[in-house]
């Protein structure tokens, strides 16, 4: 049996003028859209993680707002050595602090090929964005801030 590694990740739903910021990535040979964010470092608080990861991937500075979603999953990584991950994604609502101009980050994720402000009404129908996020972005488009929700994979 392959050991399981726990991986916490902080993600951002960054809203600006009716759009959400998504990264464009190549994942498993296909193009996909993801929420900016990434892995928590030991000793790092989750809001600090999301600020650092957003800055690295997008070049933007964000204000971290309320907790939106907690997503939990078990993933088997195939390369280079098979590992099982117990993954927990904690998603925060964020706003841009300063200019929303997309200039790119200094440490983009492997496979990241771009950044895109996507209107919320289009993001909720975007087939390249995971359904668990698409379905929950609709409530934000209606102007409401939902209470924190647990999402299973």
């Amino acid at each position: 049996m392959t050991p399981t590694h726990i991986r916490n990740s902080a993600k951002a739903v960054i809203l600006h003028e009716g759009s959400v910021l998504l990264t464009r990535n190549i994942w498993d040979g296909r193009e996909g859209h993801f929420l900016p964010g990434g892995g928590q470092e030991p000793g790092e608080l989750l809001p600090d993680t999301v600020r650092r990861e957003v800055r690295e991937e997008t070049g933007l500075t964000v204000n971290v707002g309320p907790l939106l979603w907690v997503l939990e999953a078990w993933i088997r990584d195939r390369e280079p050595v098979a590992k099982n991950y117990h993954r927990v994604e904690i998603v925060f609502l964020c706003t841009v602090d300063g200019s929303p101009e997309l200039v790119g980050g200094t440490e983009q994720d492997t496979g990241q090929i771009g950044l895109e402000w996507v209107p919320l009404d289009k993001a909720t129908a975007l087939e390249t964005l995971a359904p668990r996020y698409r379905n929950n972005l609709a409530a934000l488009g209606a102007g409401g801030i939902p209470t924190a929700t647990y999402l299973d994979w």
Side-chain angles (χ1 to χ4, degrees), residues 87-144:
R87 183 177 180 133
V88 181
E89 289 184 4
I90 300 94
V91 183
F92 293 91
L93 182 61
C94 297
T95 56
V96 177
D97 182 11
S99 171
E101 183 180 343
L102 298 178
V103 295
T106 57
E107 296 180 46
Q108 296 179 351
D109 283 347
T110 302
Q112 183 176 331
I113 58 172
L115 299 166
E116 187 175 354
W117 286 109
V118 179
L120 274 170
D121 60 336
K122 291 191 179 359
T124 58
L126 194 61
E127 291 294 321
T128 55
L129 180 63
R132 64 190 173 275
Y133 291 135
R134 278 197 319 257
N135 298 341
N136 288 282
L137 283 172
L140 295 175

Side-chain angles (χ1 to χ4, degrees), residues 4-8 72-75 84-88:
T4 297
H5 301 274
I6 296 174
R7 183 174 188 274
N8 291 335
E72 189 171 28
W74 288 263
I75 300 168
N84 291 318
Y85 287 94
H86 179 172
R87 183 177 180 133
V88 181

